[in-house]
Amino acid sequence: MTTEKVSRRNWLEIAGGTIVGLAVGAGAATLIKPPAVTPTPTPCPTPTPCPTGVPEGIPVVGDTATERALNAAKEVAKRDNVPSGFELTVLVGSAMAQSHEDSRALWESRTGVKLKFASVPSEELYDKAVSESVTKTGMYDVLHIEPYMVGEFAPGKLLRDVTDWARKYDPRLHGPPDGYVYPYDWQICYFRNRVYGLATDADTAFIMCRKDLFDDPKEQENFESQYGYPLKYPTLWTEYRDIAEFFHRPPDLYGTLESRDYWGYWSWFMRHAATKWPVVYPWDDDVNANVNNETGYLATEQYVEATKFMHPDVIKLGYGEELDIMGKGKAAMAIFPASAAKFTNNPELSQVVGKIDVPPWVPGNMVDTPDGKKLLWKSIQGGGFIVTVSNYSKYPELAYLYIQFYASPENIVTDSVAAGSWLDPCRYNQMGPDADPRQVKASGRPVLLASPYVIQHAVPLTPLVASHEYFARLQKNLQDCIIGVLSVQDAMAKTEKEWNEITDRVGREEQKKTWLAYKPWYG
Amino acid sequence: MKWLKNPKWVALLFIMPLEVLLNLIGMFPFVVAIYLSFTNWTPVTGNWWEASIVGPQNYIKMLFDANFIRSIFLTAGIVGFCVTIEFLLGLLLAFLFLEDLLGKKILTSLAILPMMFIPAVTGYVFYVAFQSSGPLNVTLSLVLGTDIQLRWLRDPMLSFLGIVITDVWQWTPFMFLVLFSGLLALPPDPINAARILGGSGWQTFRDVQLPMLKPVIIVALLLRAIEAFKMFDIVYIITMGGPGYATQTLSLYLYEEGFKYLKMAYVAAEGLAIMLLVAIICWYAAKPLLRRTAA
């Protein structure tokens, strides 16, 4: 038998590789075991107060939600021995990153706790939350996500129930002068009677009209001679369609703008809810889809018809791109959330400053009622954003205090007026005739005056488990309808089939609990 | 411990930890995927090791899943168009570059430049180009002398064509490089003999060069087809699988089903089924190579 000698070079190579392999293996082994999950308190029905599940000892000091949060955060950091190099990490969509950045100086100087922002495209927040839900790494302390995701992640334990801390530190959840606007306080901050986060944004759909075009005598004359009624801000979806057609003069001017991409399902829900008196629900009480019928067809027809008078690439355009089109004066109308007003009101970004009016309604339908024909209109509370605490955060109480600070009545205006921020007004001090001057300067009076009325007519996006899939399936079928692949009836039939499959897969009884809790908010 | 004195055993001992680690990293996710494919696990229902076993339910379901089957055929269509066009253009370029061209070195660098771009960047550039008021429509309008407003992002067929154009632009250089190398490596004697015997350029190519180039062509087509089958970046950025489902490739479909709709167990089953399908196709495609090697 022959033997081969191992040369010194070979020996060094093999030894080096082994050392590296062992080091990598040791490092990998520490990652395999997930960290322990902090148990959440047992939910209890309101109004019976729950026993406090958090340790006492940190005093509540401060007249405002901001002061209470900042003072307590400093004490909590001391109590929990938060190391000086620790960074509280916030998962945030890129459109909101600047708003956190603008709040950084105050937080860090008062609490001594550093912040780190993990900014991702807003469309990918869900994916990141899913990854964290599985890996449980604790890399995010705070997640700034959309409210409909709470239904997905609260049962899945990613999001922490913060009801007890909210009761203790009082983030000003309810009522004027600076609480969240009713009913958004309940719709967004609560899930099954427990607080899972604090709203920072309430995407309510408004109709925005080019005042200069509507007030032009020549346009008025031409419109009336063509359509037989005076040109005015539309109160009906049929009027909306006519006006969009009238002003559709591509490529210099488009009749209207709405989202038809990722968030395109928004304006379908607001049409659907207003097709029959007193309101139409997307699901029945057993969470069977309620779309494959005349109300679903009407909403889809109106949705598809309006698309004819939009930018040709509207199916793919994102919100930012549509704002740019509006800002360049290329749209006569738009159905947008309130954050659009900050863009169109900014002289550095917009050529239509002072030319956008926001009526205190959105288009609707004349519907049959027991008392004859009446106008029925519904807006949509299309999601928005909510700051939540990760159940896998190493310092969850500190994370809660950050979200209370960030979403406090005093700080929320800073968040909303930050450059590029998509955050819409959601507290009483941000809207109405007594709105914060900074908010007025950023958003302009029209949308702030319209907000209290439109919000009262908004239907919510229900945070069912698999909400994302319900909305995405609808959106794809609507797109197929727009491009002519599916008829209106086929699109609704397909949506009904897909929605019912989702419900069956997820669990009908589970979905019923959430749906029946949100159904009353439809009005 | 006599065996410790054997250098072969010593070497084995030292590389064993790394081998175990690599197998763990590679095999463990694969084994977990097989396990998950027989469950109904989603990330928000609990730990994956506690998921309920549902048997072959996922495998049966995928046979009747219209979206899944559509995405396979769509992807096959994209692969067919892209790889064919890239092969023909790459071969043409390769032959052109066999000649003595002025500035050949610079032209070669320019020819392979598209391949150097990150696919996401390519996707974004073409997304802008395909806008209705973008440079592509403007250029077509100038060339044809009439206003062209092709709806690249809204029409299903044009969206499909847009994806093909983008992929062809980026990956033809790869085909060119592989085929050019293959042509350079061909023995010159048979080619010269064919020419001396009066063969035309086309006859020499068809009867002498092409048969000798066959193994290189098979490898190039296989590599490119496998990569095209996995296409994700440019579709995600340019169309996001839309309009509707018009450009929803298999990768995008699996991504949405898994990460947007959280059907991880179902996606695991689909992924394994696709892997098996692709492996069988590749084995058949590579058979001529294996026969040649055996010979």
Side-chain angles (χ1 to χ4, degrees), chain A residues 212-266:
Chain A
D212 55 320
L213 295 173
F214 278 76
D215 287 348
D216 187 307
K218 202 89 173 60
E219 300 285 7
Q220 288 176 348
E221 191 190 323
N222 290 340
F223 181 85
E224 189 160 0
S225 69
Q226 202 172 325
Y227 293 93
Y229 59 88
L231 176 63
K232 57 180 175 63
Y233 300 149
T235 53
L236 298 174
W237 285 115
T238 47
E239 291 173 353
Y240 175 76
R241 180 240 169 255
D242 289 344
I243 296 169
E245 182 184 47
F246 176 73
F247 281 118
H248 191 59
R249 302 160 195 172
D252 298 316
L253 186 66
Y254 300 102
T256 187
L257 273 179
E258 293 176 37
S259 183
R260 287 291 184 267
D261 74 326
Y262 179 80
W263 281 291
Y265 53 83
W266 239 51

Side-chain angles (χ1 to χ4, degrees), chain A residues 4 6 14 18 123-124 126-127 130 134 136 156 312-313 316 321 468-469 472-473 476 479-480 483 494, chain B residues 7 14 43-44 47 67 127 131-132 154 156 236-239 244-245 255-257 259-263:
Chain A
E4 289 175 25
V6 178
I14 292 163
T18 306
E123 294 87 348
E124 291 175 23
Y126 184 77
D127 306 359
V130 168
V134 176
K136 305 179 175 70
D313 299 327
K316 189 60 183 65
E321 289 157 309
H468 194 93
E469 189 176 354
R473 296 280 186 210
K476 284 193 184 290
Q479 283 193 354
D480 270 346
I483 61 175
K494 193 162 179 261
Chain B
F14 274 111
V44 293
N47 297 313
N67 290 337
Y127 167 68
Q131 304 256 333
S132 56
R154 187 157 160 172
Y236 184 90
I237 289 171
I238 297 175
T239 62
Y245 294 94
Y255 163 74
E256 286 184 359
E257 291 285 307
F259 288 95
K260 300 287 186 190
Y261 310 149
L262 307 185
K263 289 148 74 176

